[in-house]
Amino acid sequence: MTKAKITNEEALAFHLEPTPGKFEIAATVPMTTQRDLSLAYSPGVAVPCEAIAENPALAYDYTNKGNLVAVISNGTAVLGLGNLGALGSKPVMEGKAVLFKRFADVNSIDIELDTEDPEAFINAVKLMEPTFGGINLEDIKAPECFIIEQRLKEEMDIPVFHDDQHGTAVICAAGLINALHISGKKIEDVKIVLNGAGAAGIACIELLKAMGARHENCIICDTKGVIYQGRTAGMNQWKSAHAVPTDLRTLEEAMKGADVFLGVSAKGAVTQDMVIAMAPNPVIFAMANPDPEITPEEAHEVREDAIVATGRSDYPNQVNNVLGFPYLFRGALDIHARAINDEMKIACAHALAALAREDVPDEVALAYGKSLSFGRDYIIPTPFDPRLIHRIPVAVAKAGMDTGAARRPIIDMETYELSLKSRMDPTASILRGLNARARTAQSRMIFAEGDDQRVLRAAVTYQRSGFGKALVVGRQDDVKQKLEEAGLGDAVSELEVINAAITPHLDTYKDFLYSRLQRKGFDLKDVHRLAARDRHVFSSLMLAHGHGDGLVTGATRKSAHVLDRVNHVFDADAAHGAAGVTALLHKGRIVLIGDTLVHEWPDENDLANIAERAAGVARHMGLDPRVAFVSFSTFGYPVSERAEKMHLAPAVLDQRGVSFEYEGEMTVDVALNAASQDAYPFSRLTGPANILIVPARHSASISVKLMQEMGGATVVGPILSGVDKPIQICSTTATANDILNMAVLAACDIG
């Protein structure tokens, strides 16, 4: 399987399009009428202002303080890039803000402070306390980060958390709990060697000591060797606190007989000889990024009994901070915590460790393309485990309440856990699952329109993302020129470019096409022109003959034209049961609408066919289908000949005995709104519909485009269903990312 590759151009384009940066601010209240403005601002806003002035705790009720975290840096230690300055750190801080939102629904704003003076930094952050529910410090160099965090924790009454220190420490601790469990050792007995006495290293060792590791069993090394009692070179108060009486002077000496190695240092710091010298069942957390102190392959080559973790996603057991900080803050914010204390961090570590020991949900295994079960190669949960959001914050909140850190304790923990489950957008896990299935399928994807830069960018991304092989239909020199114009000149040699002039199969294609079209008014010259000059037909012929596994087209011509061309090769029309289903993703919901592509004016039997096709697409996407046949009437009122077929279609499904929920006819609000459904207790739907079958293609098109333009919905599709091979037809307005999504759907054979 090809590893994902990201170019500089792609990274810059990602941050530039569709708008500069990675997030925006959106209002959560209506702001349309004069009354709305009067309530949101003057004079209505005066009422909560006075209430908060009298009782500051009400800020958590009347403002966004209770779900708002500041991500703050001065850019003195940006990733592994060094001191890039405050402005140079902004893309990272924006990224951290969107991770907070994506993984734990925590609103976050990035703040970059242009100072290297700890006092100035501390004063600036302190002054912002009324605004935020918590402070996440990031990418501040040591030892200033220790001074800044300690002072802010002492002087502020909201959680202050330096993720480079404690985020790494929490995930490291979680992994170590399970590694020791597997090796049959206890934390109070093991000899631990830490290499790297910076922010993360010191935090790791302090947390492990808080969990029971003995001071005398922990040896810390830095670039000058072992930190021992009496050493003066390169010391500071934080290192001195962990100095031990020992004759050991080098990392090599310290590693002899060690049970655990923790590395937050540099590539290659650990040799195979050092690993050989470790105790039985050694635990090696080589967390240097981007390259570990020793690779898992190198360690396992000399010690099969080693349990190895790294900071990289392409190895098992990734020590990834995203497993910690979103959920720590989620739990802390939800109890209006004064701080994130050691007990809360330890609770987070134990909850993560416990989760890794449980059976792994199928969707997680699917997302990673392999079966996962607790053991030497799976001691830490994966970042995309859907259980994290409702398991880790609960443990953190309980610990905060037990230790007196909570201003507002949670009374009903069961209800709290349910509320956490509902916070997360299910569309993210569905799309992630589709991506994983595409990677597993490794489909050879035919991109029919190799003369379009968007298509070429999608093809390059498809291949570099590890989904499979991209086959581009076009002229080699034209493809080369357009890739170079897109800043992707290095991808020319990666893509396979195909056209009628160079394929050895053209005669076979023409014979096949003639056999299909000879009684439909096409002669041999027509067939030659279609096969040799029409890229939609040529691409369809490639697919029909197994010279590709899926097809994406339609970015340059209207869908009706493209579908007509596809029908020369495949039976992709209404008579053969094909249908177009479009997915709308909006505010955490997915709703499928059909038919958006094939049927112009379906009757009740066609509508039943479309419903079955849509239900199949829904199941492929991991949804439990609930179909509503929608109209302007609900269960017969108002009476209309136009709505009659929507009333008859469910009866057709009754006769077919299908295995999904369906009901109709009904208006859209009754289909989608649970409160509106309560007025019809006899309805067979057990909840809001996720599939809407509309009366005609024009109403489907209007609905989708209205939601896209006015509602801001993300549109995926139309997904062509009911054809023998995976074919997806894009919109002419599709972006490169839209085209890539359609390729992923084709690779998953969603239709």
Side-chain angles (χ1 to χ4, degrees):
M1 188 181 296
T2 307
K3 283 188 178 179
K5 178 182 176 184
I6 297 172
T7 65
N8 292 348
E9 291 80 10
E10 286 175 294
L12 292 173
F14 182 87
H15 286 78
L16 178 64
E17 301 168 352
T19 56
K22 292 193 282 282
F23 69 91
E24 64 181 5
I25 305 298
T28 57
V29 294
M31 297 288 285
T32 51
T33 67
Q34 182 59 47
R35 182 173 181 275
D36 295 336
L37 297 178
S38 297
L39 287 167
Y41 200 57
S42 182
V45 74
V47 180
C49 288
E50 290 174 338
I52 292 168
E54 186 176 335
N55 179 5
L58 291 176
Y60 287 91
D61 297 310
Y62 298 135
T63 76
N64 65 4
K65 178 182 174 75
N67 194 40
L68 187 63
V69 167
V71 178
I72 306 181
S73 180
N74 62 1
T76 51
V78 179
L79 304 176
L81 305 172
N83 188 344
L84 298 185
L87 193 57
S89 74
K90 186 170 175 62
V92 179
M93 302 311 123
E94 281 190 2
K96 198 62 173 279
V98 295
L99 290 178
F100 266 114
K101 187 66 177 176
R102 162 64 183 84
F103 286 99
D105 195 26
V106 172
N107 294 324
S108 181
I109 293 175
D110 65 293
I111 297 173
E112 293 74 36
L113 298 177
D114 191 13
T115 179
E116 294 189 19
D117 177 4
E119 285 299 323
F121 191 103
I122 290 164
N123 287 334
V125 177
K126 249 171 55 179
L127 292 172
M128 291 187 281
E129 180 169 345
T131 305
F132 299 100
I135 304 292
N136 184 97
L137 301 174
E138 196 82 18
D139 290 358
I140 305 166
K141 69 182 177 71
E144 287 88 340
C145 62
F146 300 118
I147 299 167
I148 289 168
E149 189 201 35
Q150 186 57 41
R151 283 274 303 282
L152 290 174
K153 286 171 73 172
E154 291 169 357
E155 298 178 24
M156 296 182 78
D157 202 31
I158 57 174
V160 177
F161 186 83
H162 184 207
D163 188 48
D164 299 302
Q165 294 181 60
H166 309 298
T168 302
V170 167
I171 314 309
C172 173
L176 188 58
I177 289 167
N178 281 339
L180 295 180
H181 177 85
I182 291 169
S183 58
K185 299 177 182 179
K186 295 181 178 179
I187 194 167
E188 59 266 25
D189 298 331
V190 293
K191 178 184 175 184
I192 300 172
V193 175
L194 165 69
N195 194 48
I202 295 290
C204 284
I205 212 70
E206 286 182 346
L207 188 62
L208 294 180
K209 286 180 179 179
M211 293 171 63
R214 292 179 180 166
H215 174 75
E216 62 272 18
N217 287 348
C218 298
I219 305 290
I220 300 180
C221 300
D222 61 11
T223 54
K224 298 184 183 299
V226 171
I227 295 173
Y228 57 90
Q229 283 187 0
R231 195 183 106 172
T232 56
M235 294 295 285
N236 58 41
Q237 67 188 79
W238 297 278
K239 292 181 183 180
S240 296
H242 298 285
V244 294
T246 179
D247 295 329
L248 302 172
R249 292 295 180 266
T250 67
L251 176 62
E252 185 176 10
E253 292 173 4
M255 289 285 276
K256 291 176 182 175
D259 297 285
V260 177
F261 169 79
L262 306 177
V264 277
S265 51
K267 175 185 178 181
V270 172
T271 66
Q272 288 184 321
D273 287 340
M274 293 182 192
V275 174
I276 291 170
M278 293 181 74
N281 293 302
V283 177
I284 300 168
F285 281 21
M287 298 177 287
N289 261 327
D291 298 301
E293 286 81 0
I294 187 169
T295 66
E297 295 96 333
E298 291 168 336
H300 287 134
E301 188 178 327
V302 294
R303 292 295 297 268
E304 291 184 2
D305 60 339
I307 300 173
V308 185
T310 71
R312 290 176 56 137
S313 60
D314 52 353
Y315 287 123
N317 301 327
Q318 183 190 13
V319 179
N320 189 334
N321 285 19
V322 82
L323 289 165
F325 71 82
Y327 310 111
L328 273 163
F329 272 99
R330 178 76 276 151
L333 291 170
D334 291 339
I335 58 171
H336 301 181
R338 295 181 174 87
I340 293 175
N341 56 36
D342 278 351
E343 290 82 0
M344 293 162 77
K345 289 182 280 187
I346 292 169
C348 180
H350 278 289
L352 285 167
L355 194 60
R357 293 195 295 271
E358 296 180 14
D359 288 340
V360 180
D362 290 341
E363 61 194 284
V364 176
L366 185 64
Y368 283 83
K370 60 183 178 181
S371 178
L372 298 171
S373 60
F374 179 61
R376 292 174 180 270
D377 288 335
Y378 178 68
I379 58 173
I380 306 170
T382 62
F384 293 114
D385 192 316
R387 299 170 296 177
L388 289 163
I389 181 60
H390 61 88
R391 296 285 290 277
I392 312 306
V394 170
V396 171
K398 283 179 179 175
M401 289 155 54
D402 292 343
T403 54
R407 283 192 187 84
R408 190 178 297 181
I410 296 166
I411 305 302
D412 187 344
M413 294 303 290
E414 189 174 334
T415 300
Y416 174 54
E417 187 172 342
L418 288 172
S419 74
L420 290 171
K421 288 181 181 179
S422 67
R423 272 189 177 274
M424 297 316 298
D425 181 350
T427 61
S429 61
I430 288 171
L431 293 177
R432 188 178 65 251
L434 292 174
N435 284 349
R437 284 166 58 188
R439 284 194 182 91
T440 301
Q442 289 295 295
S443 293
R444 297 165 299 158
M445 190 57 53
I446 304 165
F447 292 84
E449 297 150 310
D451 61 340
D452 187 278
Q453 197 178 96
R454 295 167 300 159
V455 173
L456 291 175
R457 286 168 58 193
V460 171
T461 305
Y462 179 87
Q463 188 155 302
R464 288 182 172 177
S465 298
F467 294 129
K469 181 70 177 170
L471 310 176
V472 174
V473 177
R475 291 183 294 107
Q476 184 76 40
D477 56 345
D478 188 41
V479 169
K480 182 176 186 294
Q481 180 187 337
K482 286 188 166 60
L483 284 172
E484 288 172 349
E485 290 171 356
L488 294 169
D490 60 333
V492 173
S493 59
E494 298 174 24
L495 297 179
E496 184 175 342
V497 180
I498 301 170
N499 57 55
I502 61 175
T503 180
H505 306 295
L506 187 59
D507 288 339
T508 304
Y509 293 170
K510 289 194 293 186
D511 290 344
F512 174 86
L513 194 59
Y514 186 59
S515 69
R516 279 184 61 87
L517 301 181
Q518 60 190 349
R519 293 182 181 275
K520 296 181 180 179
F522 292 83
D523 61 22
L524 286 169
K525 288 183 180 179
D526 297 328
V527 165
H528 174 79
R529 277 195 296 271
L530 284 169
R533 299 179 189 173
D534 190 297
R535 55 195 158 187
H536 308 294
V537 175
F538 178 78
S539 300
S540 299
L541 287 164
M542 281 181 64
L543 182 62
H545 287 80
H547 300 143
D549 302 311
L551 168 61
V552 178
T553 185
T556 63
R557 297 295 300 268
K558 296 292 185 184
S559 59
H561 171 83
V562 175
L563 192 59
D564 175 69
R565 292 298 189 264
V566 169
N567 265 296
H568 290 331
V569 180
F570 291 96
D571 296 326
D573 55 12
H576 291 89
V581 180
T582 295
L584 293 176
L585 285 60
H586 186 57
K587 292 186 176 179
R589 295 177 70 175
I590 293 184
V591 175
L592 306 183
I593 295 182
D595 179 342
T596 51
L597 184 63
V598 180
H599 293 77
E600 185 72 32
W601 183 252
D603 63 19
E604 59 269 24
N605 291 297
D606 295 325
L607 290 167
N609 291 339
I610 295 166
E612 290 197 67
R613 293 297 182 202
V617 170
R619 284 179 169 142
H620 271 297
M621 297 180 80
L623 299 170
D624 189 14
R626 286 192 296 274
V627 174
F629 292 91
V630 292
S631 182
F632 59 87
S633 61
T634 299
F635 299 120
Y637 184 82
V639 177
S640 169
E641 184 181 328
R642 287 269 171 173
E644 181 66 10
K645 64 179 181 179
M646 309 307 291
H647 171 74
L648 295 174
V652 176
L653 291 181
D654 288 343
Q655 295 170 359
R656 295 183 185 179
V658 297
S659 60
F660 55 84
E661 291 182 26
Y662 56 91
E663 187 58 281
E665 87 288 9
M666 62 181 69
T667 55
V668 170
D669 59 321
V670 175
L672 297 180
N673 189 306
S676 297
Q677 287 181 343
D678 288 343
Y680 305 94
F682 55 84
S683 171
R684 291 178 287 190
L685 296 183
T686 60
N690 50 26
I691 298 171
L692 304 181
I693 306 302
V694 299
R697 199 172 86 198
H698 65 267
S699 49
S701 176
I702 291 167
S703 302
V704 168
K705 293 188 182 299
L706 189 62
M707 278 298 298
Q708 185 176 27
E709 295 303 321
M710 295 294 291
T714 298
V715 173
V716 179
I719 301 162
L720 182 59
S721 177
V723 183
D724 289 342
K725 296 273 190 173
I727 302 170
Q728 297 304 339
I729 300 175
C730 302
S731 161
T732 53
T733 60
T735 64
N737 195 57
D738 294 333
I739 297 165
L740 177 64
N741 285 338
M742 298 305 284
V744 167
L745 290 173
C748 295
D749 199 3
I750 288 294

